[in-house]
Amino acid sequence: MTSSLLPELQPAHLREVGIDSATVYQGHFLHAVRDTVVLPDGSRALREYIKHPGAVMVVPLLDDGRVIVERQYRYPLQRALIEFPAGKIDPGEDRLACARRELREETGYTAREWARAGVLHPVLAYADEFIEIWFARGLRLGERALDAGEFLDVLAVTPAELLAACRDGVLTDAKTLTGLLWLQNWRAGAWPLDWREVEAAAAPVAAQG
Amino acid sequence: MTSSLLPELQPAHLREVGIDSATVYQGHFLHAVRDTVVLPDGSRALREYIKHPGAVMVVPLLDDGRVIVERQYRYPLQRALIEFPAGKIDPGEDRLACARRELREETGYTAREWARAGVLHPVLAYADEFIEIWFARGLRLGERALDAGEFLDVLAVTPAELLAACRDGVLTDAKTLTGLLWLQNWRAGAWPLDWREVEAAAAPVAAQG
């Protein structure tokens, strides 16, 4: 047992090496693959997992101290849950552009300032999905533009309400709880955010030439 | 927009109702289904997701203030990551029994006291998985009993090291970050834990009669 987690994060004695890969299911939404891997002791094993393009999540801060969350029915869990706005990255899409698009489409808000907090991995045992975490402030409310078949409520709540909802078992979405960890530590002055102003236009236009 | 997230958490205007379900992939590890659902506006949609038996995660507290984490290679992400000990619930297994088993098998530790903190949902868009969060203290080190083909390092680190690793982008596992949110708020006296002593024997034996 060692006492620090930081040095040598990719030790050779844990590594698994893929030697083949096949798609085992290609649905409308899910893409599952099964790879054969060589384990550290030379034996072989199968690894089945979901291929995912990655996603972004936004922690939207209102000027009055409240934050914007959504309530959305999540069919696999047979209930509606509270979440920060999030969505999949389109092919070739810039991550900040994706964050701005998802916030605007799902909640109607645009933001003057953005800061990238970090990244999380929701389910490392069976998906390659990452979720990049962005904070947004200087919010202005416009029109929502939900996808067809998308239904969700938009709520403005205090960080204290969200933390109490986690403590009481009402808020259980892991990405949102990770956003709360960031929010709590940023508000306490413990973790920094590097804010940048963005143009009001949703889609930046590259200069010609 | 409303200002509180707590009342009326299951509103009818968001509900999706399943009308049929079929297994679309049954692998060694993954079980994927595709359901047809009726949306709130009466239209139909498909929902593909992973069926999962549920899991437990343990936040193991050493007497000296450090916590136990693991470093494990996660093939879908092609890297080793830092995590709290966790594992799937066996069919019919009690959740605390599962927590005790996973802690002992993966790290070698047994614990005198246990407290259930809450539950998290890692990936509500495409899995029904839940992870129940347990805290353990009064740790004693014994022998590990890893599954065949399981390789992982066991580390003892301070909560401050873990929080810094999150801030710096080294710790990215969402379940572990949720455990850290609990750890931070419990240590601050903000969130309570209801500790109970357990018997030293790993498998409790029911009284006859």
Side-chain angles (χ1 to χ4, degrees), chain A residues 73-75 78 149 151, chain B residues 14-18 37-40 47:
Chain A
Y73 194 82
R74 293 304 198 167
Y75 181 79
Q78 297 284 303
F151 301 87
Chain B
L14 299 177
R15 188 151 175 248
E16 302 177 357
V17 178
V37 304
V38 179
L39 299 178
R47 294 284 178 258

Side-chain angles (χ1 to χ4, degrees), chain A residues 1-11 13-21 24-30 32-37 39-41 43 46-50 52 62 66 68-69 71-83 109 117 119-130 141 149-158 161-175 177-178 180-182 184-185 190-192, chain B residues 1-11 13-20 24-30 32-37 39-41 43 46-50 52 62 66 68-69 71-83 109 117 119-130 141 149-158 161-175 177-178 180-182 184-185 190-192:
Chain A
M1 188 182 308
T2 64
S3 63
S4 171
L5 71 175
L6 293 179
E8 197 211 1
L9 262 169
Q10 298 305 320
H13 68 279
L14 299 176
R15 190 153 174 246
E16 303 177 356
V17 179
I19 54 175
D20 74 40
S21 180
V24 290
Y25 178 67
Q26 178 66 67
H28 296 264
F29 179 86
L30 290 184
V33 298
R34 180 172 56 207
D35 291 12
T36 305
V37 305
L39 299 178
D41 65 358
S43 62
L46 296 174
R47 293 285 178 259
E48 295 173 335
Y49 60 100
I50 302 298
H52 191 284
L62 290 172
R66 291 181 301 168
I68 299 295
V69 294
R71 182 162 48 206
Q72 189 170 3
Y73 194 82
R74 293 304 198 167
Y75 181 79
L77 298 170
Q78 297 284 303
R79 80 190 78 159
L81 292 104
I82 299 292
E83 302 170 51
Y109 281 99
V119 69
L120 68 92
H121 293 107
V123 55
L124 31 67
Y126 59 90
D128 66 356
E129 180 178 2
F130 67 85
L141 186 56
E150 197 171 30
F151 301 87
L152 55 88
D153 291 345
V154 177
L155 313 167
V157 296
T158 64
E161 281 177 286
L162 285 181
L163 286 164
C166 170
R167 179 197 66 202
D168 298 341
V170 172
L171 199 172
T172 58
D173 171 44
K175 69 177 180 302
L177 294 167
T178 301
L180 263 184
L181 180 68
W182 269 96
Q184 185 169 45
N185 283 283
W191 296 0
Chain B
M1 186 183 309
T2 63
S3 62
S4 171
L5 70 175
L6 293 179
E8 199 211 0
L9 263 170
Q10 298 305 319
H13 68 279
L14 299 177
R15 188 151 175 248
E16 302 177 357
V17 178
I19 54 175
D20 74 38
V24 289
Y25 178 67
Q26 178 65 67
H28 296 263
F29 178 85
L30 289 184
V33 298
R34 181 174 56 209
D35 291 11
T36 305
V37 304
L39 299 178
D41 65 358
S43 62
L46 295 174
R47 294 284 178 258
E48 295 173 335
Y49 61 100
I50 302 298
H52 191 283
L62 289 172
R66 291 181 302 168
I68 299 295
V69 294
R71 182 162 49 206
Q72 188 170 4
Y73 194 83
R74 293 302 197 167
Y75 180 79
L77 299 170
Q78 298 283 303
R79 79 189 79 158
L81 292 104
I82 299 293
E83 302 170 51
Y109 281 98
V119 69
L120 68 93
H121 293 107
V123 55
L124 31 68
Y126 59 89
D128 65 356
E129 179 178 2
F130 68 85
L141 187 55
E150 197 171 32
F151 300 87
L152 55 87
D153 291 345
V154 177
L155 313 167
V157 296
T158 64
E161 281 178 286
L162 285 181
L163 287 163
C166 171
R167 178 197 66 201
D168 298 341
V170 172
L171 198 171
T172 59
D173 171 43
K175 69 177 180 301
L177 294 167
T178 301
L180 264 184
L181 180 68
W182 268 96
Q184 184 170 47
N185 284 282
W191 296 0

Side-chain angles (χ1 to χ4, degrees), chain A residues 97-167:
Chain A
C98 176
R100 297 174 71 185
R101 177 178 59 74
E102 290 289 348
L103 180 65
R104 191 181 67 250
E105 289 178 357
E106 295 189 352
T107 72
Y109 281 99
T110 55
R112 193 182 63 248
E113 288 185 278
W114 290 82
R116 181 189 180 280
V119 69
L120 68 92
H121 293 107
V123 55
L124 31 67
Y126 59 90
D128 66 356
E129 180 178 2
F130 67 85
I131 302 177
E132 200 166 270
I133 307 162
W134 286 83
F135 276 62
R137 69 183 178 189
L139 300 183
R140 288 177 65 112
L141 186 56
E143 285 293 314
R144 290 206 292 176
L146 294 175
D147 291 338
E150 197 171 30
F151 301 87
L152 55 88
D153 291 345
V154 177
L155 313 167
V157 296
T158 64
E161 281 177 286
L162 285 181
L163 286 164
C166 170
R167 179 197 66 202

